[in-house]
Amino acid sequence: MFAGTAYGIALNDGAQLSALDPAFHEKPYGQPPRAPVLYVKSGPGIVRGGAAIAVPQGADGLVLGATIALQRTVTGFGAARLALDLAVPHQSFFRPAIAELGRDGLLAVGDAGVVPAALDDLEIVTTVNGAEVHRWNLSRLHRDVRTAIADVTAYMSLLPGDMLLAGVAGDAPIGRAGDRIEIAANGLAGLTVTLGAAEGGRP
């Protein structure tokens, strides 16, 4: 159990943001987002690597948002972890539903380590049941990690123990009940979870 809170940044994949640009100029958006679009995952709902995570009832699967979490320490953002930011698949980003992005138990984090020196060029690889299904590089971020930290902390305070999730790839794969998920990146401890049967029934 984590005492802090995790804040995720939606729409921080530059390619995804560009693809959605026409939709942003229509209702209800009117224009692209100018500030980071945040959602919250509370500390008690964050799990560690090795956990079995239940696919919510009614969902066919979960978006496997492999990313990096920068953790606030007393002196700054001095620690980093691999994170698997899971979400119920969704299309709209207008006031994202808690059930899609913020449900308890849908964030897994690996062991903390030092922030990689080549953070802006970090490549994160996702495998499902031993087969690579996705890899992406943090150079795709619309706001790089340090810019995201500066933009978020300009209007809100993150406390020691809190984490900022850098963002997930717009083309992140879908995992389903029974899958074993592993994510890896150079310089950080790997992270493994399994997806279990849907709550209250079969997958």
Side-chain angles (χ1 to χ4, degrees):
M1 180 181 295
F2 286 80
T5 299
Y7 298 90
I9 305 177
L11 298 170
N12 202 28
D13 176 358
Q16 181 188 31
L17 201 60
S18 296
L20 291 172
D21 188 68
F24 287 139
H25 289 90
E26 299 175 358
K27 294 181 179 181
Y29 305 99
Q31 62 181 351
R34 291 179 291 178
V37 178
L38 300 182
Y39 54 95
V40 176
K41 294 195 174 184
S42 63
I46 301 172
V47 301
R48 295 186 182 274
I53 298 174
V55 176
Q57 189 173 10
D60 290 332
L62 291 170
V63 178
L64 306 178
T67 187
I68 186 171
L70 277 295
Q71 187 159 8
R72 180 75 162 85
T73 64
V74 174
T75 57
F77 288 85
R81 304 170 184 265
L82 280 177
L84 186 59
D85 188 2
L86 298 157
V88 175
H90 56 281
Q91 297 298 321
S92 175
F93 288 91
F94 184 68
R95 296 180 180 173
I98 291 175
E100 294 169 342
L101 290 174
R103 188 186 294 261
D104 280 352
L106 296 191
L107 175 62
V109 295
D111 293 337
V114 298
V115 178
L119 183 61
D120 294 336
D121 197 38
L122 188 72
E123 189 165 67
I124 304 175
V125 180
T126 302
T127 62
V128 175
N129 302 323
E132 181 179 322
V133 296
H134 189 264
R135 76 170 53 218
W136 78 298
N137 194 295
L138 294 189
S139 62
R140 282 173 51 175
L141 292 176
H142 173 64
R143 287 180 172 85
D144 62 47
V145 174
R146 292 175 180 83
T147 300
I149 289 172
D151 287 353
V152 170
T153 57
Y155 64 85
M156 63 180 288
S157 297
L158 273 68
L159 304 177
D162 288 347
M163 292 182 283
L164 184 65
L165 306 173
V168 302
D171 58 350
I174 303 295
R176 292 178 169 78
D179 286 344
R180 176 182 172 86
I181 317 301
E182 298 177 79
I183 61 174
N186 287 336
L188 291 171
L191 173 61
T192 302
V193 303
T194 55
L195 299 185
E199 298 168 0
R202 296 181 178 179

